[in-house]
Amino acid sequence: MAGSAPKKLTGIERRFLAPALGAALLAAPLVMAVTTPAVGDDAAKAPKAAAPATAVAPAATEGIKLFESQVAAILKEECAACHGGDKPQGGLSVTTRAALLKGGTSGKSLDLAKPEASLFIQAINYHGRRMPPKGKMAPAKIAALTRWVQLGAPWPEGKLASLEPEAHHGPPPVNAANMKFWSYQPVRRPAIPVVKDTQWAKSPMDAFILKKLEAKGLRPNPSVDRTSLIRRAYYDLIGLPPTPEQVKAFMDDRSPRAWEKVIDELLASPHYGEKWGRH
């Protein structure tokens, strides 16, 4: 009952409860030993849970795939010829990541914190600098390079670690790609262009020249006098002026082939070989 004094145990009750209480007290340290965490040396020896594996950042994965599928080929095709080797132009080499990050005489080429401010990105977009100088790359190539820089310009190790062009000695190999060069193409006779001013074009060559002029909205210069004409021919072909006798002969020749005869004579002259042989 609430408020009553604790009941006193009789001798018989104390005699029976004491062994049970002692057993409980003896068992208590065993329970604590099992449930208490290890400390000190025991903690160092305790097995640790394995740390979760660090996942590769999605941006790095995307950048490496982009490099291997597109960027490596673009850099080698569009840039490595000038910005590679022992003496790259402007001190800039694009054949390794370290060289690309280092930059050249114009400064650091890549700014990974601000990719759009990179000299590399500005150059391929023709903003001030122009790379490659032969002509702006296709938009798809520029987009691939820009995205690669935005992803941190990752550069995987291994066979793609360097884009140094392979050394080639001797004439270019005969293959389908090189055979597309104009000097390997067979000579063809093109169709003579149709021009508006049919009176000006006196020969098929005139038609080709006039076609380009008309496409630009231009007109040919008026014809010059015969004295100026023969002087131009002499200076252009042999680098010497005509003699008074040669001028008079041309002025007196009223045949349709007078001009052609002057040109044929100049091409057959030793002075023609002397003038152009010096180049």
Side-chain angles (χ1 to χ4, degrees), residues 13-216:
E13 291 173 336
R14 286 198 299 270
R15 184 168 53 182
F16 281 99
L17 289 176
L21 181 60
L25 293 174
L26 289 175
L30 293 176
V31 176
M32 294 178 63
V34 173
T35 58
T36 303
V39 295
D41 294 338
D42 293 337
K45 296 177 182 179
K48 297 180 180 180
T54 302
V56 179
T61 302
E62 180 186 351
I64 290 175
K65 289 182 179 180
L66 186 60
F67 180 90
E68 293 178 338
S69 63
Q70 299 183 55
V71 172
I74 296 173
L75 291 176
K76 190 168 186 177
E77 178 183 354
E78 301 286 356
C79 311
C82 297
H83 295 283
D86 296 333
K87 296 181 179 180
Q89 292 186 10
L92 171 63
S93 175
V94 299
T95 57
T96 65
R97 186 177 190 270
L100 192 56
L101 289 172
K102 179 182 177 182
T105 56
S106 298
K108 190 176 179 181
S109 59
L110 292 183
D111 185 347
L112 300 183
K114 298 179 180 179
E116 288 73 15
S118 301
L119 294 179
F120 179 79
I121 298 299
Q122 294 177 4
I124 63 176
N125 283 280
Y126 276 37
H127 294 163
R129 297 173 176 81
R130 296 189 174 191
M131 190 185 79
K134 63 182 180 181
K136 193 174 182 180
M137 287 187 284
K141 292 183 177 181
I142 296 175
L145 292 175
T146 302
R147 179 58 180 162
W148 176 64
V149 175
Q150 291 173 343
L151 294 171
W155 196 300
E157 298 295 333
K159 64 180 181 179
L160 293 175
S162 174
L163 303 178
E164 200 68 57
E166 299 177 0
H168 178 75
H169 304 283
V174 179
N175 52 41
N178 289 337
M179 289 299 291
K180 294 179 181 179
F181 193 66
W182 67 266
S183 62
Y184 289 101
Q185 299 301 309
V187 177
R188 297 181 177 88
R189 185 178 293 277
I192 299 175
V194 178
V195 296
K196 299 176 182 178
D197 189 358
T198 56
Q199 297 298 319
W200 185 87
K202 300 295 191 296
S203 69
M205 186 65 69
D206 291 343
F208 283 95
I209 297 173
L210 185 58
K211 184 69 175 180
K212 291 288 187 181
L213 291 174
E214 290 179 345
K216 301 292 185 179

Side-chain angles (χ1 to χ4, degrees), residues 1 24 46 60 90 97 135 152 179 216 228 252 255:
M1 293 179 62
R97 186 177 190 270
M179 289 299 291
K216 301 292 185 179
S228 299
D252 295 340
S255 66

Side-chain angles (χ1 to χ4, degrees), residues 226-227 230-231 242-252:
R226 291 171 69 87
T227 302
I230 191 172
R231 285 176 61 84
T243 64
E245 292 77 17
Q246 291 169 330
V247 174
K248 184 176 185 306
F250 178 64
M251 298 288 290
D252 295 340

